[in-house]
Amino acid sequence: MNVRHHATGFSNRLFAEQALSRSAGAPLIGGNAVELLIDARAHFDAWLAAIASARRHVFLENYIVRNDAIGHAFLDALVERAKAGVFVAVIADWAGCLGQSRSSFWNPLRQAGGQVRIYNPPSLGSSFGWVSRDHRKVLVVDGETGFLSGVCVSEKWLGDPGRDVPPWRDTGVMLRGPAVAEIELAFADSWRETGEPLPEDDRVKPLVELPEAGNVSLRVIATHPSTAGMYRLDQMVAAMATQTLWLTDAYFVGVAPYVQALSAAARDGVDVRLLVPGSSDIPVVASMSRSGYRPLLQAGIRVFEWNGSMLHAKTAVADGRWARVGSSNLNIASWLSNREIDVAIEDAGFAGQLADQYEQDLENATEILLRGRHRHSGKERMRSRSPRPPRPRRTGGSSGRAAAGALRIANTVGAAITQHRVLGEAETGPILAGAATALVLTVIAVVWPAAIAWPLALIGAWFAVNLAVNWWTLRRRRKHRTAGFENTSSSE
C-alpha cells in the first residue's frame, strides 16, 4: 500500500512538472541560488555592485531609465566598465523612456564604447508596432549573476522623503547558477529583435558550463508578444493550488477566464488573496482594477489595497512551495503584448520567504469587504476592514482634489469610530468617466466637427502610409527571392 501511494505521489509530481513546463514553455532548471530583493534601494545597491565587478560583459534591459540621480549613477558605472574594456550592451524601451530620458542621455556610454538600443520606436511599415513594449527589468553580469525584477532605473522608486512620500514597494531576485544562461539567452533575443545579433566576441560568448550555485529549481519564463506563456502558467497555478494562492500585482485588470480560475480555486477552499495598490501612478488602471473587485469578493477571494505611495511588485506564492517574481502584471498587456521575464521558483525555502513578506505587506494594507444586503436597497456594498492611513501628497492641486481629500478625511474619521469604512460602488467610477468622455466627444463633434475629423484623417493617413510601406517591402522581398531562384536555376 505504501509503495502504491509513493508511486502515485511520484506520478503526480511528474504530471505537475510536465504541465507547468508545457504551459510556460520553459524547462525546470536545478542547481541555482536565489536571493530575494525587497524595494529599490536593495536593488540599486546590488545592481551597481554587480556592474562594478564586471570583467567580461554587462547586459542591461529595462523599461525605464530616467535622467535623474539614479539614472546617472548607472550611466557612470556603465561608462567606467566600458572604458575598462568590458562589453556593455543596454536595451531601453522607447515608450517607457518617453519623457524620462532622451537618446542623448546615452552619448557618454556610446563614446566609451558601449552599445545602446531603443526597443520599438514608431516606424513606418508597422501600424500597430508601437503597442508592443519591452517591459523587462533584467541585468546580467559576466554570465554568472543575473537579476529579474519589477524595479526600473529611476529615483522615483525611492520615494521623496522631503515630501513624506515613502519608497515604492517592489520585489526582485538575484540569481546564480545554470539559470543565468537562460536570462542571457532572453537578452540576446531582445538584442536581435532591435538590430544585429550580439557579435562574435570572446567577452560575450556564454560560459561553457555554469557550475551549480545552490539547490533551488526554477523556470525562467521570457515571453514576447503573442506567446502567452505567462498567462498559461498563471492559469495552471490557479488550477493546481490546493491550500493558498497569494498574489501581488501593480496593475491588475482581471480578464474573465483568469477571474474564473481564481474564483474556482477560492470556492474549492483555496485561500486566495490579491494585494493591489491603494493609490496608483496610473489612476485609470486603478479604477479598472476596482471595478472588478465585486466578483472576486463574491467568490470568497480576499482583496487588499496597499496603503503606501505605490505598490509595484508582481509576485505570486502558492501552497508554500511555488513562487513567481518578475515583470509581468496580471493584465492583457503583459500576457499578450509585451516582452516580459519572470522566474517561477519551486522551492519551499524561497516560497516561505515570499509568504512571510506577503504577510508583512498585509500589515500595511486595507482589506476590502462586502457588507450584507440592505433591507431597503437590496444591494451589497463594499467596505474596508480598517481605516486607511493618510496618503502621500501629490504635486499640484485643484478644487476637485481638495474635495476628494476632504472626503477621504471624513471617511477615515468614520472608520476610526466604526472600524469599517464603506466604499462607493466599484463600477460607478469607470461608467461615469465613460459617460462624461462620450458626452464631451459628442459636443465637440457637433460644435467643432473639424476637431474630430482631423485626428481621424491623420489616423487614416498613418495606416495608409504604413500599409503602402508594407506592400512595397513585401514586393521587394518577393522580387529578390524570385531573382535568387532564377540565378540558382541558371547556374545549375
Side-chain angles (χ1 to χ4, degrees):
M1 185 71 178
N2 290 335
V3 174
R4 183 181 301 174
H5 178 75
H6 177 74
T8 301
F10 181 72
S11 176
N12 288 340
R13 286 196 299 273
L14 287 179
F15 179 78
E17 180 178 335
Q18 184 182 65
L20 291 171
S21 294
R22 289 182 179 178
S23 61
L28 188 65
I29 304 169
N32 302 284
V34 184
E35 180 178 339
L36 185 63
L37 298 176
I38 300 298
D39 294 344
R41 177 50 65 192
H43 282 79
F44 295 154
D45 290 346
W47 289 355
L48 289 170
I51 292 172
S53 70
R55 296 296 177 263
R56 298 174 60 239
H57 62 257
V58 176
F59 297 156
L60 174 64
E61 182 177 4
N62 208 292
Y63 181 63
I64 297 174
V65 180
R66 192 179 184 193
N67 185 0
D68 58 18
I70 292 298
H72 278 279
F74 276 83
L75 178 63
D76 293 343
L78 294 171
V79 167
E80 189 277 328
R81 286 292 81 199
K83 288 181 177 178
V86 174
F87 184 92
V88 177
V90 176
I91 303 173
D93 186 79
W94 178 83
C97 292
L98 187 65
Q100 307 293 322
S101 59
R102 298 181 179 179
S103 179
S104 59
F105 171 82
W106 296 107
N107 285 345
L109 180 56
R110 295 188 179 102
Q111 293 165 3
Q115 298 188 34
V116 181
R117 293 183 180 177
I118 304 301
Y119 180 81
N120 207 14
S123 61
L124 292 176
S126 181
S127 302
F128 289 103
W130 54 272
V131 173
S132 172
R133 307 297 358 139
D134 187 346
H135 195 245
R136 298 176 181 179
K137 291 89 176 178
V138 166
L139 174 66
V140 184
V141 174
D142 290 344
E144 299 174 351
T145 306
F147 298 87
L148 301 177
S149 182
V151 175
C152 292
V153 182
S154 167
E155 65 181 359
K156 183 165 59 174
W157 264 250
L158 297 176
D160 188 346
R163 294 182 175 178
D164 198 27
V165 177
W168 286 22
R169 173 70 189 84
D170 219 328
T171 304
V173 293
M174 178 171 66
L175 304 176
R176 291 189 178 90
V180 176
E182 293 296 313
I183 306 175
E184 287 210 325
L185 288 175
F187 178 88
D189 181 67
S190 293
W191 190 259
R192 187 168 50 249
E193 185 71 16
T194 57
E196 294 294 321
L198 290 169
E200 293 292 331
D201 189 314
D202 289 339
R203 298 172 298 172
V204 177
K205 288 182 180 179
L207 298 175
V208 177
E209 185 177 355
L210 280 173
E212 292 191 355
N215 57 5
V216 176
S217 297
L218 55 86
R219 306 171 198 276
V220 177
I221 306 157
T223 60
H224 48 85
S226 303
T227 56
M230 197 66 245
Y231 174 72
R232 292 194 300 270
L233 184 67
D234 284 332
Q235 285 273 37
M236 185 65 64
V237 170
M240 295 175 66
T242 59
Q243 299 174 4
T244 60
L245 177 56
W246 296 351
L247 307 167
T248 303
D249 201 69
Y251 307 106
F252 175 80
V253 180
V255 296
Y258 187 62
V259 170
Q260 291 167 6
L262 295 179
S263 299
R267 292 191 176 105
D268 203 29
V270 179
D271 176 11
V272 183
R273 304 182 188 185
L274 175 64
L275 174 62
V276 294
S279 59
S280 176
D281 62 326
I282 308 179
V284 172
V285 176
S287 296
M288 295 173 66
S289 182
R290 289 191 180 100
S291 70
Y293 284 176
R294 190 169 300 282
L296 299 174
L297 295 171
Q298 289 172 336
I301 297 168
R302 298 178 68 183
V303 179
F304 300 83
E305 287 189 348
W306 175 254
N307 293 328
S309 57
M310 176 60 189
L311 175 79
H312 197 258
K314 306 98 167 46
T315 67
V317 58
D319 291 347
R321 297 192 303 270
W322 182 93
R324 173 176 66 81
V325 178
S327 67
S328 295
N329 291 297
L330 301 174
N331 59 41
I332 286 294
S334 281
W335 280 329
L336 295 178
S337 179
N338 296 340
R339 300 181 77 86
E340 306 278 4
I341 189 164
D342 298 76
V343 59
I345 300 170
E346 299 183 17
D347 179 78
F350 182 85
Q353 280 185 276
L354 200 60
D356 289 343
Q357 181 63 48
Y358 195 92
E359 292 184 325
Q360 291 179 37
D361 290 340
L362 292 189
E363 294 177 2
N364 189 42
T366 297
E367 182 171 9
I368 309 301
L369 299 177
L370 277 175
R371 189 169 67 183
R373 294 180 180 274
H374 287 277
R375 286 177 295 179
H376 300 294
S377 66
K379 296 181 179 179
E380 293 171 328
R381 302 185 71 183
M382 290 192 295
R383 55 164 80 224
S384 64
R385 172 167 290 180
S386 59
R388 188 174 300 187
R391 296 285 176 79
R393 293 187 298 108
R394 295 180 179 270
T395 56
S398 67
S399 58
R401 289 178 183 174
L407 180 59
R408 282 196 298 270
I409 293 172
N411 286 341
T412 302
V413 172
I417 298 173
T418 65
Q419 295 299 312
H420 292 89
R421 182 171 61 81
V422 176
L423 301 181
E425 292 289 338
E427 295 82 3
T428 58
I431 292 174
L432 180 60
T437 301
L439 178 61
V440 170
L441 291 175
T442 301
V443 172
I444 292 174
V446 172
V447 180
W448 301 289
I452 299 294
W454 277 109
L456 291 176
L458 290 174
I459 293 172
W462 168 258
F463 280 106
V465 170
N466 277 281
L467 290 173
V469 170
N470 280 335
W471 171 82
W472 178 254
T473 302
L474 291 173
R475 185 170 179 271
R476 288 187 63 187
R477 288 177 181 172
R478 186 169 60 183
K479 281 187 174 182
H480 284 308
R481 284 197 299 267
T482 303
F485 177 76
E486 291 176 350
N487 290 336
T488 302
S489 299
S490 62
S491 64
E492 294 176 350

